[in-house]
Amino acid sequence: MSSELSDSAVSPPTGAGESTSGPSRRTVIATGAAVGGVMVAGGTFLADAEEAAATVAAPSSRVSLTVNGTRRTVTVDNRTSLLDLLREHLELTGSKKGCNAGACGACTVLIDGQRVNSCLTLAVRLEGAEVTTIEGLAKGDKLHPLQQAFVDEDAFQCGYCTPGQIMSGVGCIQEGHTSSPEEIREYMSGNVCRCGCYVKIVRAVEQTAARK
């Protein structure tokens, strides 16, 4: 029996100038890569579009409040904290963003005379409220008595916590919690000074309360 194949059983090789009836392997691979790229790009575009739509659709509200004696009306994202409203919308940067979690007191301000952590307070809940920040304490070039006491007692070093310390001290004095150094320390314990100026801070608050 012959093991040779007949000429009709073997397909002749394709020449350089000839073309086949179906797409080549290279064409199939290139086409697949192009389609895949379009799908990925399309998915990315859709994701970006959805994110942009979500950002645009974020609920906002109009709020009017008095800040340092001036009536201010702004429209803000409902998630905006009072601290961010003050710093980013009203350009009152005296109140500092420390921990942004209500643990350090650097952002302390007065709302209707009560001291609060502005980083934990939603701006949209303050319709009609009166807010006092460190910028609102001085009367022109004349410092508030507690501000002057901080200078006289050298009650700060880096100064980052100082605005919050002073605002908390003003609140502490108004609340009447200044009968002793121990009471002052207790009622100002939410204000952290990483430089360790606590003794001088307490002394400044104590002296200001005594002069009131």
Side-chain angles (χ1 to χ4, degrees):
M1 178 184 292
S2 173
S3 61
E4 295 181 359
L5 297 175
S6 64
D7 292 342
S8 61
V10 179
S11 300
T14 303
E18 298 176 335
S19 61
T20 60
S21 59
S24 68
R25 180 171 178 271
R26 180 175 297 177
T27 301
V28 172
I29 293 174
T31 302
V35 172
V38 170
M39 292 178 66
V40 171
T44 302
F45 174 78
L46 289 175
D48 291 343
E50 290 174 357
E51 183 177 351
T55 301
V56 172
S60 61
S61 298
R62 187 178 178 88
V63 59
S64 294
L65 65 165
T66 301
V67 181
N68 298 330
T70 302
R71 191 70 170 176
R72 309 296 292 266
T73 300
V74 293
T75 299
V76 294
D77 186 313
N78 288 353
R79 299 165 294 183
T80 302
S81 68
L82 173 59
L83 178 60
D84 286 339
L85 171 66
L86 294 172
R87 293 180 59 84
E88 299 177 12
H89 295 264
L90 304 183
E91 298 183 353
L92 295 172
T93 57
S95 303
K96 303 305 181 187
K97 181 176 285 191
C99 65
N100 207 33
C104 73
C107 66
T108 303
V109 300
L110 301 180
I111 298 179
D112 296 330
Q114 300 297 313
R115 48 187 170 152
V116 300
N117 291 321
S118 59
C119 72
L120 298 182
T121 305
L122 288 175
V124 295
R125 298 185 64 184
L126 299 178
E127 178 66 33
E130 183 170 344
V131 179
T132 304
T133 71
I134 190 68
E135 291 92 343
L137 287 186
K139 303 299 182 183
D141 294 332
K142 184 175 181 176
L143 296 177
H144 184 279
L146 186 55
Q147 288 177 306
Q148 187 61 57
F150 264 66
V151 174
D152 296 341
E153 294 297 329
D154 195 23
F156 54 90
Q157 287 188 38
C158 77
Y160 196 85
C161 75
T162 304
Q165 296 279 3
I166 292 175
M167 297 308 298
S168 186
V170 170
C172 191
I173 293 170
Q174 292 177 351
E175 294 160 14
H177 298 304
T178 57
S179 60
S180 67
E182 292 74 23
E183 185 177 29
I184 294 172
R185 282 195 290 269
E186 174 66 24
Y187 280 88
M188 289 190 62
S189 59
N191 291 79
V192 177
C193 174
R194 292 177 175 84
C195 298
C197 295
Y198 296 112
V199 172
K200 295 180 178 181
I201 290 172
V202 170
R203 190 180 302 155
V205 174
E206 188 177 26
Q207 291 183 1
T208 303
R211 299 190 191 108
K212 187 176 178 181

